C-alpha cells in the first residue's frame, strides 16, 4: 500500500471482528495508508461448545477504537467485517439471550443432517440457497437451539449474525448484507430474499431477521451512544462476512484463487454466476458487491498445526522432510471433508520418525484438505466463467495469519505445484471493510478502491515440483480411515 507521510483524503475505519479478537484500522481513503490501528481480544469457550458473549465483541471494538486515538474521531465512515455463521439471539431489550453459537461449534451436526433430509436432499438445498448446510451454518444452530434450549428460542426477539450485531450497536438499526446472510442457510440465493419455506420449517419468524442492505448502501449513521470515539453522524456501511471482506480487501477479480490460512482454512474465488454444488463441499456464498464467492472451508488449519507443534515441544517452523507418517489434524471435527465427529489420526509411525517429520505431516494433512477443496472451487468457477483461471500456472494468493510462515508457504507450493503470491498488506478483512467505507464517500466500487490502494501487491514465490507421492499417501489414509473418522472419539 501507499506510504504517504500524511493523510491526503478523508479517514475511514475498517473493523475485523474475528473468532479470537477485534482489529480496527483507520485508513486514509485517498492513499490506502493505515494511519492508526487497535486490537483487543475476546474469550471463546473451548472444546466442542464454541461460544462467545457478544457484549465482549462490543467491548473489544470500543477498546480497539480508543487505541486509535484522534484518528478514529476524525473518521467519516466505518464498516464492520465479522466472523460468519454465528448465531446471535437478542431479547426484547437488545441484550443477548445467551452466548453466541460460533461457526466452529459443531453441536448442530445432527440437526444439519435432519434439515438436509427434510427439505429433500442436498441438491434441493444447493438449488435454493446455493449451499448444503453443515453444522457451521446458522440455520442448523437455530434448529439446535429450538430443540435443546426452547426457552432461549422463545425469549429471542431478534436473530443476528456477529457483524450484524455490531453494526446495529452502531446505528440502532437491524441490517445485514448479502455476503454474510448467504451463509445462514435461510436466504435464497436465486431470488436474493429470505426463504420463507425454510424459515417455517425451522420455526423462525422472518420478523426476527434484519433487513438485507444493498451493496454500497449507507445503512445508517453512528448514533450518539457516548461509548465510541466517532463523531455523531459518521456514515456506516453494510459490512459483510470475513471472507467477503477479505475479497474486497484484495480487490479480487473473477477467477483469481485465494487460499486463506487462519484458525480455519478457506479457499475461494469470485464468480459471476450463482454457484450450486449439490455435494456441499463448495458453499455458494454471495460476495459483497453483487457477484458470488464460491468457497470451501476447513475447521483445522493454523491452530491445529500449532497444537501439534506444542505437543511435540517444537517451534512451528521446525519441520523436517521425509518419513512415512501421515497426520490428519482433524482436532475439532472437520467441515471439508464433512466429518464433524472426527478427531486427529496418525498413521505410519516408525522408530526412525522424527518430531519434525510429524510436524510436517500435520502441515501436509491440513494443506491436502484445502487444495482438494480449491480444485472443486476452481472447477465450479471455470464452468461459470469462460475466463476463470483456465491457466493453473497462475499464482495462488496466500493470505491469513499463516501466510508468512515459511513452512506453510513451502507446503502449499510443494503440494499444489503452483506459484504462490503473498500480499504485503495485512489485516485484509479490516482493509476490505475500510474499502467499503471509503466507497460510501467516493461512490466507488470497494474492489476498485482496494486495487487503487494496491493491497494485493507482494512477492511471487516460484512453483516447486508437485509431491504426488505425499498427496497419494494422504488420500489413501483418508479413504481407509473414513469409518473411523465418521464416529466420535471414545468417551464423547
Amino acid at each position: 500500500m501507499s506510504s504517504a507521510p500524511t493523510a491526503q483524503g478523508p479517514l475511514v475505519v475498517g473493523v475485523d471482528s474475528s473468532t479470537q479478537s477485534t482489529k480496527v484500522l483507520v485508513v486514509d481513503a485517498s492513499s490506502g495508508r493505515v494511519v492508526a490501528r487497535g486490537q483487543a481480544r475476546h474469550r471463546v469457550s473451548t472444546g466442542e461448545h464454541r461460544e462467545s458473549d457478544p457484549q465482549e465483541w462490543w467491548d473489544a471494538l470500543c477498546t480497539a477504537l480508543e487505541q486509535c486515538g484522534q484518528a478514529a474521531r476524525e473518521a467519516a465512515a466505518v464498516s464492520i467485517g465479522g466472523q460468519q455463521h454465528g448465531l446471535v439471539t437478542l431479547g426484547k431489550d437488545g441484550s443477548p439471550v445467551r452466548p453466541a453459537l460460533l461457526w466452529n461449534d459443531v453441536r448442530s451436526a445432527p440437526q444439519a443432517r435432519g434439515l438436509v433430509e427434510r427439505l429433500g436432499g442436498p441438491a434441493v438445498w444447493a438449488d435454493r440457497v446455493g449451499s448444503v448446510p453443515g453444522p457451521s451454518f446458522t440455520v442448523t444452530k437455530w434448529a439446535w437451539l429450538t430443540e435443546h434450549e426452547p426457552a432461549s428460542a422463545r425469549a429471542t426477539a431478534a436473530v443476528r449474525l456477529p457483524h450484524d450485531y455490531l453494526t446495529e450497536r452502531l446505528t440502532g438499526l437491524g441490517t445485514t448484507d448479502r455476503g454474510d446472510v448467504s451463509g445462514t442457510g435461510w436466504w435464497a440465493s436465486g431470488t436474493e430474499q429470505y426463504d420463507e419455506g425454510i424459515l417455517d420449517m425451522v420455526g423462525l419468524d422472518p420478523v426476527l431477521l434484519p433487513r438485507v442492505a444493498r451493496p454500497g448502501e449507507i445503512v445508517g449513521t453512528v448514533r450518539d451512544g457516548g461509548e465510541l470515539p466517532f463523531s455523531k453522524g459518521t456514515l456506516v456501511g453494510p459490512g459483510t462476512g470475513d471472507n467477503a471482506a477479505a475479497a474486497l480487501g484484495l480487490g479480487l477479480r473473477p477467477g483469481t484463487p485465494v487460499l486463506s490460512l487462519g484458525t480455519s482454512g478457506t479457499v475461494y474465488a469470485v464468480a459471476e454466476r450463482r454457484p450450486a454444488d449439490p455435494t456441499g463441499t463448495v458453499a455458494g456464498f454471495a460476495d459483497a458487491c453483487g457477484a458470488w464467492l464460491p468457497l470451501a472451508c476447513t475447521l483445522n488449519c493454523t491452530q491445529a498445526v500449532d497444537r501439534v507443534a506444542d505437543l511435540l515441544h517444537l517451534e512451528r517452523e521446525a519441520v523436517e522432510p521425509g518419513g512415512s507418517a501421515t497426520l490428519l489434524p482433524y482436532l475439532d471435527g472437520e467441515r471439508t471433508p464433512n466429518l464433524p465427529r472426527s478427531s486427529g489420526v496418525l498413521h505410519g509411525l516408525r522408530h526412525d520418525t522424527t518430531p519434525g517429520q510429524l510436524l510436517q505431516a500435520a502441515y501436509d494433512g491440513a494443506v491436502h484438505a484445502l487444495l482438494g477443496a480449491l480444485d472443486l472451487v476452481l472447477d465450479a468457477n471455470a464452468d461459470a466463467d469462460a475466463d476463470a483461471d483456465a491457466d493453473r500456472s497462475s499464482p495462488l494468493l496466500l493470505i491469513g495469519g499463516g501466510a508468512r510462515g515459511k513452512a506453510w508457504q513451502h507446503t502449499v507450493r510443494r503440494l499444489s505445484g503452483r506459484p504462490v503470491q503473498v500480499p504485503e498488506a495485512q489485516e485484509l478483512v479490516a482493509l476490505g471493510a475500510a474499502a467499503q467505507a471509503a466507497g460510501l464517500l467516493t461512490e466507488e466500487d470497494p474492489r476498485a478502491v482496494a486495487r487503487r490502494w494496491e493491497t494485493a501487491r507482494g512477492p511471487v514465490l516460484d512453483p516447486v515440483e508437485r509431491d504426488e507421492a505425499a498427496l497419494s499417501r494422504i488420500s489413501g489414509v483418508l479413504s481407509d480411515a473414513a469409518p473411523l473418522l465418521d464416529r466420535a472419539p471414545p468417551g464423547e
Side-chain angles (χ1 to χ4, degrees), residues 103 262-265 298-305 329-335 342 365-367 369-370 408:
W103 62 273
T263 302
S264 65
T298 65
L299 296 181
N300 300 279
C301 194
T302 59
Q303 193 173 58
V305 172
Y330 303 161
L331 306 189
D332 286 324
E334 191 44 84
R335 172 172 169 174
S342 65
V367 171
L370 282 168
W408 281 110

mmCIF file of all heavy atoms in Angstrom, residues 103 262-265 298-305 329-335 342 365-367 369-370 408:
data_model
loop_
_atom_site.group_PDB
_atom_site.id
_atom_site.type_symbol
_atom_site.label_atom_id
_atom_site.label_comp_id
_atom_site.label_asym_id
_atom_site.label_seq_id
_atom_site.Cartn_x
_atom_site.Cartn_y
_atom_site.Cartn_z
ATOM 1 N N TRP A 103 -19.276 -20.201 14.532
ATOM 2 C CA TRP A 103 -19.203 -21.010 13.317
ATOM 3 C C TRP A 103 -18.585 -22.374 13.569
ATOM 4 O O TRP A 103 -18.973 -23.365 12.947
ATOM 5 C CB TRP A 103 -18.404 -20.264 12.246
ATOM 6 C CG TRP A 103 -16.973 -20.012 12.656
ATOM 7 C CD1 TRP A 103 -16.515 -18.941 13.369
ATOM 8 C CD2 TRP A 103 -15.848 -20.844 12.416
ATOM 9 N NE1 TRP A 103 -15.165 -19.060 13.587
ATOM 10 C CE2 TRP A 103 -14.724 -20.221 13.007
ATOM 11 C CE3 TRP A 103 -15.669 -22.059 11.743
ATOM 12 C CZ2 TRP A 103 -13.446 -20.767 12.953
ATOM 13 C CZ3 TRP A 103 -14.389 -22.605 11.691
ATOM 14 C CH2 TRP A 103 -13.298 -21.964 12.292
ATOM 15 N N GLY A 262 -5.966 -19.411 8.425
ATOM 16 C CA GLY A 262 -6.282 -18.848 9.722
ATOM 17 C C GLY A 262 -6.640 -19.963 10.680
ATOM 18 O O GLY A 262 -6.279 -21.126 10.483
ATOM 19 N N THR A 263 -7.383 -19.622 11.752
ATOM 20 C CA THR A 263 -7.895 -20.660 12.645
ATOM 21 C C THR A 263 -8.604 -21.722 11.824
ATOM 22 O O THR A 263 -8.410 -22.927 12.014
ATOM 23 C CB THR A 263 -8.874 -20.052 13.667
ATOM 24 O OG1 THR A 263 -8.202 -19.039 14.405
ATOM 25 C CG2 THR A 263 -9.386 -21.116 14.615
ATOM 26 N N SER A 264 -9.418 -21.272 10.881
ATOM 27 C CA SER A 264 -9.954 -22.144 9.837
ATOM 28 C C SER A 264 -9.184 -21.865 8.556
ATOM 29 O O SER A 264 -8.548 -20.822 8.418
ATOM 30 C CB SER A 264 -11.443 -21.885 9.617
ATOM 31 O OG SER A 264 -11.633 -20.571 9.120
ATOM 32 N N GLY A 265 -9.223 -22.804 7.627
ATOM 33 C CA GLY A 265 -8.648 -22.576 6.313
ATOM 34 C C GLY A 265 -9.765 -22.388 5.312
ATOM 35 O O GLY A 265 -10.766 -23.108 5.357
ATOM 36 N N THR A 298 -12.150 -25.411 5.830
ATOM 37 C CA THR A 298 -11.772 -26.467 6.765
ATOM 38 C C THR A 298 -11.755 -25.877 8.175
ATOM 39 O O THR A 298 -11.435 -24.694 8.364
ATOM 40 C CB THR A 298 -10.390 -27.046 6.436
ATOM 41 O OG1 THR A 298 -9.396 -26.044 6.631
ATOM 42 C CG2 THR A 298 -10.336 -27.562 5.004
ATOM 43 N N LEU A 299 -12.074 -26.684 9.160
ATOM 44 C CA LEU A 299 -12.075 -26.209 10.539
ATOM 45 C C LEU A 299 -10.679 -26.193 11.141
ATOM 46 O O LEU A 299 -10.408 -25.443 12.072
ATOM 47 C CB LEU A 299 -12.976 -27.090 11.414
ATOM 48 C CG LEU A 299 -14.469 -27.095 11.093
ATOM 49 C CD1 LEU A 299 -15.207 -27.991 12.075
ATOM 50 C CD2 LEU A 299 -15.041 -25.689 11.143
ATOM 51 N N ASN A 300 -9.800 -27.054 10.648
ATOM 52 C CA ASN A 300 -8.484 -27.255 11.264
ATOM 53 C C ASN A 300 -7.389 -26.733 10.358
ATOM 54 O O ASN A 300 -7.077 -27.334 9.335
ATOM 55 C CB ASN A 300 -8.260 -28.738 11.529
ATOM 56 C CG ASN A 300 -9.295 -29.327 12.460
ATOM 57 O OD1 ASN A 300 -9.199 -29.195 13.680
ATOM 58 N ND2 ASN A 300 -10.309 -29.958 11.890
ATOM 59 N N CYS A 301 -6.799 -25.611 10.765
ATOM 60 C CA CYS A 301 -5.725 -25.042 9.954
ATOM 61 C C CYS A 301 -4.593 -24.628 10.878
ATOM 62 O O CYS A 301 -3.951 -25.484 11.490
ATOM 63 C CB CYS A 301 -6.259 -23.896 9.105
ATOM 64 S SG CYS A 301 -5.135 -23.375 7.793
ATOM 65 N N THR A 302 -4.306 -23.343 11.014
ATOM 66 C CA THR A 302 -3.112 -22.930 11.760
ATOM 67 C C THR A 302 -3.167 -23.336 13.232
ATOM 68 O O THR A 302 -2.161 -23.757 13.803
ATOM 69 C CB THR A 302 -2.909 -21.411 11.662
ATOM 70 O OG1 THR A 302 -4.058 -20.738 12.179
ATOM 71 C CG2 THR A 302 -2.687 -20.988 10.214
ATOM 72 N N GLN A 303 -4.335 -23.212 13.844
ATOM 73 C CA GLN A 303 -4.433 -23.535 15.261
ATOM 74 C C GLN A 303 -4.185 -25.021 15.515
ATOM 75 O O GLN A 303 -3.516 -25.397 16.487
ATOM 76 C CB GLN A 303 -5.812 -23.128 15.797
ATOM 77 C CG GLN A 303 -5.923 -23.135 17.311
ATOM 78 C CD GLN A 303 -7.256 -22.570 17.773
ATOM 79 O OE1 GLN A 303 -8.317 -23.055 17.410
ATOM 80 N NE2 GLN A 303 -7.201 -21.524 18.575
ATOM 81 N N ALA A 304 -4.701 -25.874 14.619
ATOM 82 C CA ALA A 304 -4.492 -27.309 14.772
ATOM 83 C C ALA A 304 -3.024 -27.671 14.596
ATOM 84 O O ALA A 304 -2.464 -28.472 15.363
ATOM 85 C CB ALA A 304 -5.356 -28.077 13.771
ATOM 86 N N VAL A 305 -2.372 -27.099 13.595
ATOM 87 C CA VAL A 305 -0.956 -27.397 13.373
ATOM 88 C C VAL A 305 -0.111 -26.848 14.524
ATOM 89 O O VAL A 305 0.831 -27.516 14.985
ATOM 90 C CB VAL A 305 -0.498 -26.827 12.018
ATOM 91 C CG1 VAL A 305 1.014 -26.961 11.852
ATOM 92 C CG2 VAL A 305 -1.210 -27.552 10.878
ATOM 93 N N PRO A 329 -5.008 -33.713 10.836
ATOM 94 C CA PRO A 329 -5.142 -32.921 12.064
ATOM 95 C C PRO A 329 -6.570 -32.439 12.314
ATOM 96 O O PRO A 329 -6.817 -31.241 12.517
ATOM 97 C CB PRO A 329 -4.188 -31.755 11.813
ATOM 98 C CG PRO A 329 -4.258 -31.547 10.328
ATOM 99 C CD PRO A 329 -4.457 -32.915 9.728
ATOM 100 N N TYR A 330 -7.523 -33.366 12.326
ATOM 101 C CA TYR A 330 -8.936 -33.001 12.487
ATOM 102 C C TYR A 330 -9.273 -32.915 13.978
ATOM 103 O O TYR A 330 -10.075 -33.688 14.514
ATOM 104 C CB TYR A 330 -9.832 -34.020 11.791
ATOM 105 C CG TYR A 330 -9.563 -34.222 10.316
ATOM 106 C CD1 TYR A 330 -10.007 -35.361 9.658
ATOM 107 C CD2 TYR A 330 -8.876 -33.272 9.561
ATOM 108 C CE1 TYR A 330 -9.773 -35.551 8.295
ATOM 109 C CE2 TYR A 330 -8.630 -33.450 8.211
ATOM 110 C CZ TYR A 330 -9.076 -34.599 7.585
ATOM 111 O OH TYR A 330 -8.847 -34.788 6.251
ATOM 112 N N LEU A 331 -8.663 -31.966 14.660
ATOM 113 C CA LEU A 331 -8.749 -31.905 16.117
ATOM 114 C C LEU A 331 -10.101 -31.408 16.614
ATOM 115 O O LEU A 331 -10.479 -31.675 17.751
ATOM 116 C CB LEU A 331 -7.638 -31.005 16.666
ATOM 117 C CG LEU A 331 -6.198 -31.339 16.234
ATOM 118 C CD1 LEU A 331 -5.210 -30.500 17.035
ATOM 119 C CD2 LEU A 331 -5.891 -32.817 16.373
ATOM 120 N N ASP A 332 -10.819 -30.675 15.786
ATOM 121 C CA ASP A 332 -12.105 -30.095 16.200
ATOM 122 C C ASP A 332 -13.262 -30.629 15.370
ATOM 123 O O ASP A 332 -14.258 -29.934 15.161
ATOM 124 C CB ASP A 332 -12.066 -28.569 16.059
ATOM 125 C CG ASP A 332 -11.227 -27.913 17.146
ATOM 126 O OD1 ASP A 332 -11.258 -28.408 18.282
ATOM 127 O OD2 ASP A 332 -10.545 -26.925 16.855
ATOM 128 N N GLY A 333 -13.170 -31.908 14.913
ATOM 129 C CA GLY A 333 -14.103 -32.319 13.883
ATOM 130 C C GLY A 333 -13.674 -31.634 12.595
ATOM 131 O O GLY A 333 -12.754 -30.823 12.581
ATOM 132 N N GLU A 334 -14.315 -31.944 11.484
ATOM 133 C CA GLU A 334 -13.930 -31.299 10.236
ATOM 134 C C GLU A 334 -15.136 -31.010 9.370
ATOM 135 O O GLU A 334 -16.154 -31.692 9.446
ATOM 136 C CB GLU A 334 -12.919 -32.177 9.465
ATOM 137 C CG GLU A 334 -12.256 -31.486 8.290
ATOM 138 C CD GLU A 334 -11.792 -30.066 8.596
ATOM 139 O OE1 GLU A 334 -10.696 -29.898 9.146
ATOM 140 O OE2 GLU A 334 -12.553 -29.127 8.314
ATOM 141 N N ARG A 335 -15.012 -29.953 8.602
ATOM 142 C CA ARG A 335 -16.080 -29.491 7.712
ATOM 143 C C ARG A 335 -15.811 -29.908 6.271
ATOM 144 O O ARG A 335 -16.735 -30.220 5.534
ATOM 145 C CB ARG A 335 -16.193 -27.968 7.839
ATOM 146 C CG ARG A 335 -17.129 -27.299 6.854
ATOM 147 C CD ARG A 335 -17.299 -25.844 7.218
ATOM 148 N NE ARG A 335 -17.965 -25.067 6.179
ATOM 149 C CZ ARG A 335 -18.323 -23.805 6.314
ATOM 150 N NH1 ARG A 335 -18.101 -23.173 7.440
ATOM 151 N NH2 ARG A 335 -18.913 -23.165 5.330
ATOM 152 N N SER A 342 -15.151 -36.272 13.846
ATOM 153 C CA SER A 342 -13.824 -36.857 13.752
ATOM 154 C C SER A 342 -12.858 -36.262 14.774
ATOM 155 O O SER A 342 -13.093 -35.212 15.370
ATOM 156 C CB SER A 342 -13.264 -36.666 12.343
ATOM 157 O OG SER A 342 -13.070 -35.289 12.075
ATOM 158 N N GLY A 365 -1.285 -32.606 6.089
ATOM 159 C CA GLY A 365 -2.687 -33.004 6.222
ATOM 160 C C GLY A 365 -3.634 -31.831 6.111
ATOM 161 O O GLY A 365 -4.698 -31.926 5.491
ATOM 162 N N ALA A 366 -3.252 -30.690 6.702
ATOM 163 C CA ALA A 366 -4.107 -29.505 6.631
ATOM 164 C C ALA A 366 -4.162 -28.950 5.207
ATOM 165 O O ALA A 366 -5.236 -28.594 4.704
ATOM 166 C CB ALA A 366 -3.588 -28.442 7.599
ATOM 167 N N VAL A 367 -3.024 -28.873 4.533
ATOM 168 C CA VAL A 367 -2.980 -28.302 3.187
ATOM 169 C C VAL A 367 -3.638 -29.235 2.175
ATOM 170 O O VAL A 367 -4.290 -28.775 1.221
ATOM 171 C CB VAL A 367 -1.527 -27.975 2.784
ATOM 172 C CG1 VAL A 367 -1.431 -27.578 1.316
ATOM 173 C CG2 VAL A 367 -0.982 -26.844 3.660
ATOM 174 N N ALA A 369 -6.276 -31.058 2.548
ATOM 175 C CA ALA A 369 -7.722 -30.811 2.580
ATOM 176 C C ALA A 369 -8.063 -29.515 1.851
ATOM 177 O O ALA A 369 -9.040 -29.446 1.096
ATOM 178 C CB ALA A 369 -8.214 -30.764 4.025
ATOM 179 N N LEU A 370 -7.263 -28.473 2.046
ATOM 180 C CA LEU A 370 -7.541 -27.191 1.414
ATOM 181 C C LEU A 370 -7.385 -27.252 -0.105
ATOM 182 O O LEU A 370 -8.196 -26.698 -0.839
ATOM 183 C CB LEU A 370 -6.603 -26.123 1.983
ATOM 184 C CG LEU A 370 -6.973 -25.584 3.364
ATOM 185 C CD1 LEU A 370 -5.822 -24.770 3.930
ATOM 186 C CD2 LEU A 370 -8.227 -24.743 3.289
ATOM 187 N N TRP A 408 4.358 -23.047 5.990
ATOM 188 C CA TRP A 408 3.082 -23.013 5.275
ATOM 189 C C TRP A 408 3.316 -22.731 3.792
ATOM 190 O O TRP A 408 2.746 -23.391 2.922
ATOM 191 C CB TRP A 408 2.157 -21.950 5.865
ATOM 192 C CG TRP A 408 1.472 -22.356 7.124
ATOM 193 C CD1 TRP A 408 1.702 -21.874 8.375
ATOM 194 C CD2 TRP A 408 0.430 -23.342 7.259
ATOM 195 N NE1 TRP A 408 0.877 -22.496 9.286
ATOM 196 C CE2 TRP A 408 0.082 -23.387 8.632
ATOM 197 C CE3 TRP A 408 -0.230 -24.171 6.369
ATOM 198 C CZ2 TRP A 408 -0.906 -24.241 9.120
ATOM 199 C CZ3 TRP A 408 -1.222 -25.022 6.861
ATOM 200 C CH2 TRP A 408 -1.550 -25.055 8.209
#
